[in-house]
Every structure is written in structure tokens, then in C-alpha cells.
Amino acid sequence: MKPTPVKRLLRLLVELAVFLVLYMLGGQLAAWLDWPIPAGVMGLALLLLAFALGWLKPAALQLGAGLLMAEMLLFFIPALMSLLDYGSLLRDEGWRILLVIGVSTLLVMVLTALTVEWVCRWSMRHDT
């Protein structure tokens, strides 16, 4: 049976609220511990912890995560537009900035792949 549009909208709002609460908790936790870690990173760590402890199932947040992933470009447009104000910086230091972006992107991709692999193996060992 297909859910009604109202139920789908309510589910989406609840899932987005969960992400927002985790983000806010992550920010509060980082401030309380006096760690220089962004609220989003702390929120993702809390989300991973909730998944690992079984408090949340990934499928429970699938609709909200799908929306955020689909609209991700909107989150980056303001940052890209602000680069227009720093043309001289980009001309002088642009290659270093691109190198840092490239290396950090590669590191994130590799570490994400290793983490997913580790979690899958850990999950398979503990499910059987």
C-alpha cells in the first residue's frame, strides 16, 4: 500500500528533524568538550553511534537523507559565490588550495570506504 502524500511529508519532516537534532547535539557536545570539531562532524559521529548501538536503523532516515543528498548543491553555491571576492588570493595561492582540496577529498573517500568495509565486516560477524 502506497503512503499518502501527507504521511510521506510528515515522515520527511520527522527525519529532517532527527538530522537537525543530531546536528545541534553535535554542536553542543563540541562546545561542551571544547573541541574544534564542526557540529556537522560531531552530529555524524552521533548518528554513527546511534546506528552502531541499534537506536536507529539507516532505513528509518532514508527519505530525509535522500532529500539532503539530492539538494546538496544548494549548500555549496553560497561558498562558491564568495570565491569571487577573493580573485587575487586564488591567483596567488590557487594551486595550493586545489592541492589541499584534492588530497582531503581523496582521504575522505578512502577513509569512508575503509570505515564502510569495517562496519560491514563487524556487522556480519555480530549478526551470525
Side-chain angles (χ1 to χ4, degrees), residues 9-60:
L9 178 64
L10 287 175
R11 179 178 172 149
L12 174 66
L13 291 174
V14 168
E15 290 179 21
L16 291 175
V18 169
F19 286 124
L20 182 62
V21 166
L22 287 170
Y23 171 78
M24 293 171 63
L25 284 173
Q28 288 297 319
L29 184 62
W32 181 68
L33 294 172
D34 197 29
W35 288 354
I37 299 175
V41 174
M42 290 296 287
L44 285 174
L46 292 173
L47 181 62
L48 180 62
L49 181 67
F51 286 159
L53 295 175
W55 296 343
L56 276 175
K57 299 287 182 206

CSV table of all heavy atoms in Angstrom, one decimal, residues 9-60:
chain,number,residue,atom,x,y,z
A,9,LEU,N,5.1,13.4,3.7
A,9,LEU,CA,5.6,14.7,4.1
A,9,LEU,C,5.9,14.7,5.6
A,9,LEU,O,7.0,15.2,6.0
A,9,LEU,CB,4.6,15.8,3.7
A,9,LEU,CG,5.0,17.2,4.2
A,9,LEU,CD1,6.3,17.7,3.4
A,9,LEU,CD2,3.9,18.2,3.9
A,10,LEU,N,5.0,14.1,6.4
A,10,LEU,CA,5.3,14.1,7.8
A,10,LEU,C,6.5,13.2,8.2
A,10,LEU,O,7.3,13.6,9.0
A,10,LEU,CB,4.0,13.5,8.6
A,10,LEU,CG,2.9,14.5,8.6
A,10,LEU,CD1,1.7,13.8,9.3
A,10,LEU,CD2,3.2,15.7,9.4
A,11,ARG,N,6.6,12.1,7.5
A,11,ARG,CA,7.8,11.3,7.7
A,11,ARG,C,9.1,12.0,7.3
A,11,ARG,O,10.1,12.0,8.0
A,11,ARG,CB,7.7,10.0,6.9
A,11,ARG,CG,8.9,9.1,7.1
A,11,ARG,CD,8.9,7.8,6.3
A,11,ARG,NE,10.2,7.2,6.4
A,11,ARG,CZ,10.3,5.9,6.5
A,11,ARG,NH1,9.3,5.1,6.4
A,11,ARG,NH2,11.6,5.4,6.6
A,12,LEU,N,9.1,12.7,6.2
A,12,LEU,CA,10.2,13.5,5.7
A,12,LEU,C,10.6,14.6,6.8
A,12,LEU,O,11.7,14.8,7.1
A,12,LEU,CB,9.9,14.2,4.4
A,12,LEU,CG,11.0,15.2,3.9
A,12,LEU,CD1,12.3,14.4,3.5
A,12,LEU,CD2,10.4,15.9,2.6
A,13,LEU,N,9.6,15.3,7.3
A,13,LEU,CA,9.8,16.3,8.3
A,13,LEU,C,10.4,15.7,9.6
A,13,LEU,O,11.3,16.3,10.2
A,13,LEU,CB,8.5,17.1,8.6
A,13,LEU,CG,8.0,18.0,7.5
A,13,LEU,CD1,6.7,18.6,7.8
A,13,LEU,CD2,9.1,19.0,7.1
A,14,VAL,N,9.9,14.5,10.0
A,14,VAL,CA,10.4,13.9,11.2
A,14,VAL,C,11.9,13.5,11.0
A,14,VAL,O,12.8,13.7,11.9
A,14,VAL,CB,9.6,12.7,11.6
A,14,VAL,CG1,10.3,11.8,12.6
A,14,VAL,CG2,8.2,13.1,12.1
A,15,GLU,N,12.2,12.9,9.8
A,15,GLU,CA,13.6,12.5,9.5
A,15,GLU,C,14.5,13.7,9.5
A,15,GLU,O,15.6,13.7,10.0
A,15,GLU,CB,13.6,11.7,8.2
A,15,GLU,CG,12.9,10.4,8.3
A,15,GLU,CD,13.0,9.6,7.0
A,15,GLU,OE1,13.8,9.9,6.1
A,15,GLU,OE2,12.1,8.7,6.8
A,16,LEU,N,14.1,14.8,8.9
A,16,LEU,CA,14.9,16.0,8.8
A,16,LEU,C,15.1,16.6,10.2
A,16,LEU,O,16.1,17.1,10.6
A,16,LEU,CB,14.3,17.0,7.9
A,16,LEU,CG,14.3,16.7,6.4
A,16,LEU,CD1,13.6,17.7,5.6
A,16,LEU,CD2,15.7,16.6,5.9
A,17,ALA,N,14.0,16.5,11.1
A,17,ALA,CA,14.2,16.9,12.5
A,17,ALA,C,15.2,16.1,13.2
A,17,ALA,O,15.9,16.6,14.0
A,17,ALA,CB,12.8,16.8,13.1
A,18,VAL,N,15.2,14.8,12.9
A,18,VAL,CA,16.3,13.9,13.6
A,18,VAL,C,17.7,14.4,13.2
A,18,VAL,O,18.5,14.5,14.0
A,18,VAL,CB,16.0,12.4,13.2
A,18,VAL,CG1,17.2,11.6,13.6
A,18,VAL,CG2,14.8,11.9,13.8
A,19,PHE,N,17.9,14.7,11.9
A,19,PHE,CA,19.2,15.2,11.5
A,19,PHE,C,19.5,16.5,12.1
A,19,PHE,O,20.6,16.8,12.5
A,19,PHE,CB,19.2,15.4,9.9
A,19,PHE,CG,19.3,14.1,9.2
A,19,PHE,CD1,18.4,13.7,8.2
A,19,PHE,CD2,20.3,13.2,9.4
A,19,PHE,CE1,18.5,12.5,7.5
A,19,PHE,CE2,20.5,12.0,8.8
A,19,PHE,CZ,19.5,11.7,7.8
A,20,LEU,N,18.5,17.4,12.2
A,20,LEU,CA,18.7,18.7,12.9
A,20,LEU,C,19.1,18.6,14.3
A,20,LEU,O,20.0,19.2,14.8
A,20,LEU,CB,17.5,19.6,12.7
A,20,LEU,CG,17.6,21.0,13.2
A,20,LEU,CD1,18.7,21.8,12.5
A,20,LEU,CD2,16.3,21.7,13.1
A,21,VAL,N,18.4,17.7,15.0
A,21,VAL,CA,18.7,17.4,16.4
A,21,VAL,C,20.1,16.9,16.6
A,21,VAL,O,20.8,17.3,17.5
A,21,VAL,CB,17.6,16.5,17.1
A,21,VAL,CG1,18.0,16.0,18.4
A,21,VAL,CG2,16.3,17.2,17.2
A,22,LEU,N,20.5,15.9,15.8
A,22,LEU,CA,21.8,15.4,15.9
A,22,LEU,C,22.9,16.5,15.6
A,22,LEU,O,23.9,16.5,16.3
A,22,LEU,CB,22.0,14.2,14.9
A,22,LEU,CG,21.3,12.9,15.3
A,22,LEU,CD1,21.3,11.9,14.2
A,22,LEU,CD2,21.8,12.4,16.6
A,23,TYR,N,22.6,17.3,14.6
A,23,TYR,CA,23.5,18.5,14.3
A,23,TYR,C,23.6,19.4,15.6
A,23,TYR,O,24.7,19.8,16.0
A,23,TYR,CB,23.0,19.2,13.1
A,23,TYR,CG,23.7,20.5,12.9
A,23,TYR,CD1,24.9,20.5,12.2
A,23,TYR,CD2,23.2,21.7,13.2
A,23,TYR,CE1,25.6,21.7,12.0
A,23,TYR,CE2,23.8,22.9,13.0
A,23,TYR,CZ,25.1,22.9,12.3
A,23,TYR,OH,25.7,24.0,12.1
A,24,MET,N,22.5,19.7,16.2
A,24,MET,CA,22.5,20.6,17.3
A,24,MET,C,23.2,20.0,18.5
A,24,MET,O,24.0,20.6,19.2
A,24,MET,CB,21.1,21.1,17.6
A,24,MET,CG,20.5,22.0,16.5
A,24,MET,SD,18.8,22.4,16.7
A,24,MET,CE,18.8,23.3,18.2
A,25,LEU,N,22.9,18.7,18.7
A,25,LEU,CA,23.6,18.0,19.8
A,25,LEU,C,25.1,17.9,19.6
A,25,LEU,O,25.9,18.0,20.5
A,25,LEU,CB,23.0,16.6,20.0
A,25,LEU,CG,21.6,16.5,20.6
A,25,LEU,CD1,21.1,15.0,20.6
A,25,LEU,CD2,21.7,16.9,22.1
A,26,GLY,N,25.5,17.7,18.3
A,26,GLY,CA,26.9,17.6,18.0
A,26,GLY,C,27.6,19.0,18.3
A,26,GLY,O,28.7,19.0,18.8
A,27,GLY,N,26.9,20.1,18.0
A,27,GLY,CA,27.4,21.4,18.2
A,27,GLY,C,27.6,21.6,19.7
A,27,GLY,O,28.6,22.2,20.2
A,28,GLN,N,26.6,21.2,20.5
A,28,GLN,CA,26.6,21.4,21.9
A,28,GLN,C,27.7,20.5,22.6
A,28,GLN,O,28.4,21.0,23.5
A,28,GLN,CB,25.3,21.1,22.6
A,28,GLN,CG,24.2,22.1,22.3
A,28,GLN,CD,24.5,23.4,22.9
A,28,GLN,OE1,25.0,23.5,24.0
A,28,GLN,NE2,24.3,24.5,22.1
A,29,LEU,N,27.8,19.3,22.1
A,29,LEU,CA,28.9,18.4,22.6
A,29,LEU,C,30.3,18.9,22.3
A,29,LEU,O,31.1,18.9,23.2
A,29,LEU,CB,28.7,17.0,22.0
A,29,LEU,CG,29.6,15.9,22.5
A,29,LEU,CD1,29.4,15.7,24.0
A,29,LEU,CD2,29.3,14.6,21.7
A,30,ALA,N,30.5,19.4,21.1
A,30,ALA,CA,31.8,20.0,20.7
A,30,ALA,C,32.1,21.2,21.6
A,30,ALA,O,33.2,21.4,22.0
A,30,ALA,CB,31.8,20.4,19.2
A,31,ALA,N,31.1,22.1,21.8
A,31,ALA,CA,31.3,23.2,22.7
A,31,ALA,C,31.6,22.8,24.1
A,31,ALA,O,32.4,23.4,24.8
A,31,ALA,CB,30.1,24.2,22.6
A,32,TRP,N,30.8,21.9,24.6
A,32,TRP,CA,31.0,21.4,26.0
A,32,TRP,C,32.3,20.8,26.2
A,32,TRP,O,33.0,21.0,27.2
A,32,TRP,CB,29.9,20.4,26.3
A,32,TRP,CG,29.9,19.9,27.7
A,32,TRP,CD1,29.7,20.7,28.9
A,32,TRP,CD2,30.2,18.6,28.2
A,32,TRP,NE1,29.8,19.9,30.0
A,32,TRP,CE2,30.1,18.6,29.6
A,32,TRP,CE3,30.5,17.4,27.5
A,32,TRP,CZ2,30.3,17.4,30.3
A,32,TRP,CZ3,30.7,16.3,28.2
A,32,TRP,CH2,30.6,16.3,29.6
A,33,LEU,N,32.8,20.0,25.2
A,33,LEU,CA,34.1,19.4,25.3
A,33,LEU,C,35.3,20.3,24.9
A,33,LEU,O,36.4,19.9,25.1
A,33,LEU,CB,34.2,18.1,24.5
A,33,LEU,CG,33.2,17.0,24.9
A,33,LEU,CD1,33.2,15.9,23.9
A,33,LEU,CD2,33.6,16.4,26.3
A,34,ASP,N,34.9,21.5,24.4
A,34,ASP,CA,35.9,22.4,23.9
A,34,ASP,C,36.8,21.8,22.8
A,34,ASP,O,38.0,22.0,22.8
A,34,ASP,CB,36.7,23.0,25.1
A,34,ASP,CG,37.4,24.3,24.7
A,34,ASP,OD1,36.9,25.0,23.8
A,34,ASP,OD2,38.5,24.6,25.2
A,35,TRP,N,36.1,21.1,21.9
A,35,TRP,CA,36.8,20.5,20.8
A,35,TRP,C,36.6,21.4,19.5
A,35,TRP,O,35.5,21.9,19.3
A,35,TRP,CB,36.3,19.1,20.5
A,35,TRP,CG,36.7,18.1,21.5
A,35,TRP,CD1,37.6,18.2,22.5
A,35,TRP,CD2,36.3,16.7,21.5
A,35,TRP,NE1,37.7,17.0,23.2
A,35,TRP,CE2,36.9,16.1,22.6
A,35,TRP,CE3,35.4,16.0,20.7
A,35,TRP,CZ2,36.7,14.8,22.9
A,35,TRP,CZ3,35.2,14.7,21.1
A,35,TRP,CH2,35.8,14.1,22.2
A,36,PRO,N,37.6,21.6,18.7
A,36,PRO,CA,37.5,22.4,17.5
A,36,PRO,C,36.9,21.5,16.3
A,36,PRO,O,37.5,21.5,15.2
A,36,PRO,CB,38.9,22.8,17.2
A,36,PRO,CG,39.8,21.7,17.7
A,36,PRO,CD,39.0,21.2,18.9
A,37,ILE,N,35.8,20.8,16.6
A,37,ILE,CA,35.2,20.0,15.6
A,37,ILE,C,33.9,20.6,15.2
A,37,ILE,O,33.1,20.9,16.1
A,37,ILE,CB,35.1,18.5,16.1
A,37,ILE,CG1,36.4,17.9,16.5
A,37,ILE,CG2,34.4,17.6,15.1
A,37,ILE,CD1,36.4,16.6,17.1
A,38,PRO,N,33.6,20.7,13.9
A,38,PRO,CA,32.3,21.2,13.5
A,38,PRO,C,31.1,20.4,14.0
A,38,PRO,O,31.2,19.2,14.2
A,38,PRO,CB,32.4,21.2,11.9
A,38,PRO,CG,33.8,21.1,11.6
A,38,PRO,CD,34.5,20.3,12.8
A,39,ALA,N,30.0,21.1,14.2
A,39,ALA,CA,28.8,20.5,14.7
A,39,ALA,C,28.3,19.4,13.7
A,39,ALA,O,27.9,18.3,14.2
A,39,ALA,CB,27.7,21.5,14.8
A,40,GLY,N,28.5,19.6,12.4
A,40,GLY,CA,28.1,18.5,11.5
A,40,GLY,C,28.9,17.2,11.6
A,40,GLY,O,28.3,16.2,11.5
A,41,VAL,N,30.2,17.4,11.9
A,41,VAL,CA,31.0,16.2,12.0
A,41,VAL,C,30.6,15.5,13.3
A,41,VAL,O,30.5,14.2,13.4
A,41,VAL,CB,32.5,16.6,12.0
A,41,VAL,CG1,33.4,15.4,12.3
A,41,VAL,CG2,32.9,17.1,10.7
A,42,MET,N,30.4,16.2,14.4
A,42,MET,CA,30.0,15.6,15.7
A,42,MET,C,28.6,15.0,15.5
A,42,MET,O,28.4,13.9,16.1
A,42,MET,CB,30.0,16.7,16.8
A,42,MET,CG,31.4,17.2,17.2
A,42,MET,SD,32.4,15.9,17.9
A,42,MET,CE,31.6,15.7,19.5
A,43,GLY,N,27.7,15.6,14.8
A,43,GLY,CA,26.4,15.1,14.5
A,43,GLY,C,26.5,13.8,13.8
A,43,GLY,O,25.8,12.8,14.1
A,44,LEU,N,27.4,13.7,12.8
A,44,LEU,CA,27.5,12.4,12.1
A,44,LEU,C,28.1,11.3,13.0
A,44,LEU,O,27.8,10.2,12.8
A,44,LEU,CB,28.4,12.7,10.8
A,44,LEU,CG,27.8,13.4,9.7
A,44,LEU,CD1,28.8,13.7,8.6
A,44,LEU,CD2,26.7,12.6,9.1
A,45,ALA,N,29.0,11.7,13.9
A,45,ALA,CA,29.5,10.8,14.8
A,45,ALA,C,28.4,10.2,15.7
A,45,ALA,O,28.4,9.0,16.0
A,45,ALA,CB,30.7,11.4,15.6
A,46,LEU,N,27.6,11.1,16.2
A,46,LEU,CA,26.4,10.7,17.0
A,46,LEU,C,25.5,9.8,16.2
A,46,LEU,O,24.9,8.8,16.7
A,46,LEU,CB,25.7,11.9,17.5
A,46,LEU,CG,26.4,12.8,18.5
A,46,LEU,CD1,25.6,14.0,18.9
A,46,LEU,CD2,26.7,12.0,19.8
A,47,LEU,N,25.3,10.1,14.9
A,47,LEU,CA,24.4,9.3,14.0
A,47,LEU,C,25.1,7.9,13.9
A,47,LEU,O,24.4,6.9,14.0
A,47,LEU,CB,24.3,9.9,12.7
A,47,LEU,CG,23.4,9.2,11.7
A,47,LEU,CD1,22.0,9.1,12.2
A,47,LEU,CD2,23.4,9.9,10.3
A,48,LEU,N,26.4,7.8,13.7
A,48,LEU,CA,27.0,6.6,13.6
A,48,LEU,C,26.9,5.8,14.9
A,48,LEU,O,26.7,4.6,14.9
A,48,LEU,CB,28.5,6.8,13.2
A,48,LEU,CG,29.4,5.5,13.1
A,48,LEU,CD1,28.9,4.6,11.9
A,48,LEU,CD2,30.8,5.9,12.9
A,49,LEU,N,27.0,6.4,16.0
A,49,LEU,CA,26.9,5.8,17.3
A,49,LEU,C,25.5,5.2,17.4
A,49,LEU,O,25.3,4.1,17.9
A,49,LEU,CB,27.2,6.8,18.4
A,49,LEU,CG,27.1,6.2,19.8
A,49,LEU,CD1,28.2,5.2,20.1
A,49,LEU,CD2,27.3,7.4,20.8
A,50,ALA,N,24.5,6.0,17.0
A,50,ALA,CA,23.1,5.6,17.1
A,50,ALA,C,22.9,4.4,16.2
A,50,ALA,O,22.1,3.4,16.6
A,50,ALA,CB,22.1,6.7,16.7
A,51,PHE,N,23.5,4.3,15.1
A,51,PHE,CA,23.4,3.2,14.2
A,51,PHE,C,24.0,2.0,14.8
A,51,PHE,O,23.5,0.9,14.8
A,51,PHE,CB,24.0,3.4,12.8
A,51,PHE,CG,23.2,4.3,11.9
A,51,PHE,CD1,23.8,5.0,10.9
A,51,PHE,CD2,21.8,4.5,12.1
A,51,PHE,CE1,23.0,5.8,10.0
A,51,PHE,CE2,21.1,5.3,11.3
A,51,PHE,CZ,21.7,6.0,10.2
A,52,ALA,N,25.2,2.2,15.4
A,52,ALA,CA,26.0,1.1,15.9
A,52,ALA,C,25.3,0.5,17.1
A,52,ALA,O,25.4,-0.8,17.3
A,52,ALA,CB,27.4,1.6,16.3
A,53,LEU,N,24.7,1.3,17.9
A,53,LEU,CA,24.0,0.8,19.1
A,53,LEU,C,22.6,0.3,18.9
A,53,LEU,O,21.9,-0.3,19.7
A,53,LEU,CB,23.9,1.9,20.2
A,53,LEU,CG,25.3,2.4,20.8
A,53,LEU,CD1,25.1,3.5,21.7
A,53,LEU,CD2,26.0,1.2,21.4
A,54,GLY,N,22.2,0.4,17.6
A,54,GLY,CA,20.8,-0.1,17.3
A,54,GLY,C,19.7,0.8,17.6
A,54,GLY,O,18.5,0.4,17.6
A,55,TRP,N,20.0,2.1,18.0
A,55,TRP,CA,18.9,3.0,18.4
A,55,TRP,C,18.2,3.5,17.2
A,55,TRP,O,17.0,3.8,17.2
A,55,TRP,CB,19.5,4.2,19.1
A,55,TRP,CG,20.1,3.9,20.5
A,55,TRP,CD1,19.9,2.7,21.2
A,55,TRP,CD2,21.0,4.7,21.2
A,55,TRP,NE1,20.7,2.8,22.4
A,55,TRP,CE2,21.3,4.0,22.4
A,55,TRP,CE3,21.6,5.9,21.0
A,55,TRP,CZ2,22.2,4.5,23.3
A,55,TRP,CZ3,22.4,6.4,22.0
A,55,TRP,CH2,22.7,5.7,23.1
A,56,LEU,N,18.9,3.5,16.0
A,56,LEU,CA,18.3,3.9,14.8
A,56,LEU,C,18.7,2.9,13.7
A,56,LEU,O,19.8,2.4,13.7
A,56,LEU,CB,18.9,5.3,14.3
A,56,LEU,CG,18.2,6.6,14.9
A,56,LEU,CD1,19.0,7.8,14.4
A,56,LEU,CD2,16.8,6.7,14.4
A,57,LYS,N,17.8,2.8,12.7
A,57,LYS,CA,18.1,1.9,11.6
A,57,LYS,C,18.3,2.9,10.4
A,57,LYS,O,17.6,3.9,10.3
A,57,LYS,CB,17.0,1.0,11.3
A,57,LYS,CG,16.7,0.0,12.4
A,57,LYS,CD,17.8,-1.0,12.5
A,57,LYS,CE,17.4,-2.0,13.6
A,57,LYS,NZ,18.6,-2.7,14.1
A,58,PRO,N,19.3,2.6,9.5
A,58,PRO,CA,19.5,3.5,8.4
A,58,PRO,C,18.3,3.7,7.5
A,58,PRO,O,18.1,4.8,7.0
A,58,PRO,CB,20.6,2.8,7.6
A,58,PRO,CG,21.4,2.0,8.6
A,58,PRO,CD,20.3,1.6,9.6
A,59,ALA,N,17.5,2.7,7.4
A,59,ALA,CA,16.3,2.8,6.6
A,59,ALA,C,15.3,3.8,7.1
A,59,ALA,O,14.5,4.3,6.4
A,59,ALA,CB,15.6,1.4,6.4
A,60,ALA,N,15.4,4.0,8.5
A,60,ALA,CA,14.4,5.0,9.1
A,60,ALA,C,14.7,6.4,8.7
A,60,ALA,O,13.8,7.3,8.9
A,60,ALA,CB,14.5,4.8,10.6
